[in-house]
Amino acid sequence: KTLLCSDLLNGIAADHGLQLIESTQGFQGIGAKMAECERTGKQAFVFGFDKYGGYALGNFVRGRDGIHAALLVAEMAANYKTKGSTVYQELLKLYDKYGWFAEERVILSFADMNWWQQAGILLDRISIESPMTVGGLTAVKFHDYRNGEVKDLIKQRSTKIAHVPAYTLKFELMGGSWYGVSITKDIPEIEIVVGSRHPEEKACNYQLSAIRSDVLHMIESII
């Protein structure tokens, strides 16, 4: 999956003994992984997706493909209908097993000609000034994909990860919730994504709003 996506798949992949890889290059990186699996034969590519709702199944198409995804959903719906169920009912079963997940994206645009420099400074300040408590939840890990570093905020120690650099920061919160910020060089915007995880639906949505409010307040105070 690409960066700043739902973590619902994490538990599903683990239960099926599948390796989950995060791509810092979007679907370009996912397509490269498909090609690597095909070339080496050491692994089989199963499924890929991004935060915009793009999907790829197998290595038939090395990128997001709406036609392929539509056929997959149609097959799922037909399969579950024969079993007296629906896609939505099966989704509820996943929530019952893994907890409720909710995500929201917010886009802030830059109007200044020097927006890239301003965006870089903003990421620097967020990486330093982000609070230890967001939405009432303690921050436990900080992923800095610019330099491939993951910092344990509780034990105060860092480890390196092998990634192609990306202008993205992600903060993990207690209980599986998180938030992240990202910039892309060709687009004068900063993308903020918040994710909430909770055993109950209403509490999950309430928690999402609380995280979103605190993150936006932090960024507005920096800007």
Side-chain angles (χ1 to χ4, degrees):
K1 66 177 184 176
T2 62
L3 300 180
L4 307 186
C5 281
S6 171
D7 287 336
L8 174 58
L9 189 65
N10 297 27
I12 298 173
D15 281 352
H16 288 80
L18 300 175
Q19 180 186 10
L20 180 64
I21 297 173
E22 284 192 316
S23 166
T24 57
Q25 300 173 283
F27 250 102
Q28 179 183 354
I30 292 177
K33 191 64 183 177
M34 292 182 191
E36 179 187 328
C37 292
E38 190 176 76
R39 183 178 65 255
T40 64
K42 294 180 179 179
Q43 294 175 305
F45 180 86
V46 177
F47 186 75
F49 73 104
D50 67 8
K51 59 190 172 184
Y52 305 112
Y55 303 98
L57 179 68
N59 60 0
F60 183 69
V61 179
R62 291 179 183 174
R64 68 171 71 92
D65 179 60
I67 297 174
H68 200 188
L71 289 171
L72 178 63
V73 172
E75 184 178 3
M76 276 198 302
N79 178 56
Y80 289 137
K81 184 176 181 180
T82 64
K83 299 176 181 178
S85 185
T86 65
V87 173
Y88 180 64
Q89 287 172 335
E90 296 302 316
L91 177 62
L92 293 181
K93 291 179 183 178
L94 292 178
Y95 286 144
D96 286 339
K97 183 174 183 178
Y98 299 102
W100 283 83
F101 290 78
E103 297 81 34
E104 184 176 354
R105 292 193 303 130
V106 178
I107 303 296
L108 300 179
S109 299
F110 291 92
D112 197 285
M113 291 292 292
N114 298 319
W115 73 271
W116 179 249
Q117 182 180 6
Q118 295 174 3
I121 294 172
L122 179 59
L123 287 188
D124 286 339
R125 293 191 60 183
I126 291 173
S127 68
I128 298 170
E129 301 176 22
S130 185
M132 278 300 294
T133 302
V134 176
L137 301 172
T138 301
V140 293
K141 281 187 179 181
F142 167 47
H143 299 251
D144 191 337
Y145 292 101
R146 297 173 301 175
N147 57 21
E149 185 177 76
V150 179
K151 184 176 182 180
D152 187 318
L153 299 175
I154 305 300
K155 298 179 180 179
Q156 289 297 305
R157 63 187 184 191
S158 300
T159 56
K160 287 291 185 177
I161 51 176
H163 269 310
V164 176
Y167 294 99
T168 300
L169 310 176
K170 180 180 179 180
F171 293 83
E172 291 186 37
L173 306 175
M174 193 73 73
S177 295
W178 57 274
Y179 67 94
V181 293
S182 183
I183 57 174
T184 303
K185 204 161 189 176
D186 298 329
I187 307 173
E189 298 174 341
I190 182 167
E191 182 180 37
I192 303 150
V193 186
V194 295
S196 174
R197 181 188 182 189
H198 197 280
E200 298 180 0
E201 179 183 10
K202 289 184 179 179
C204 183
N205 291 328
Y206 177 82
Q207 188 170 266
L208 183 74
S209 297
I211 296 170
R212 177 184 184 276
S213 178
D214 281 359
V215 171
L216 289 179
H217 182 267
M218 172 192 63
I219 292 176
E220 288 169 1
S221 67
I222 293 175
I223 295 175

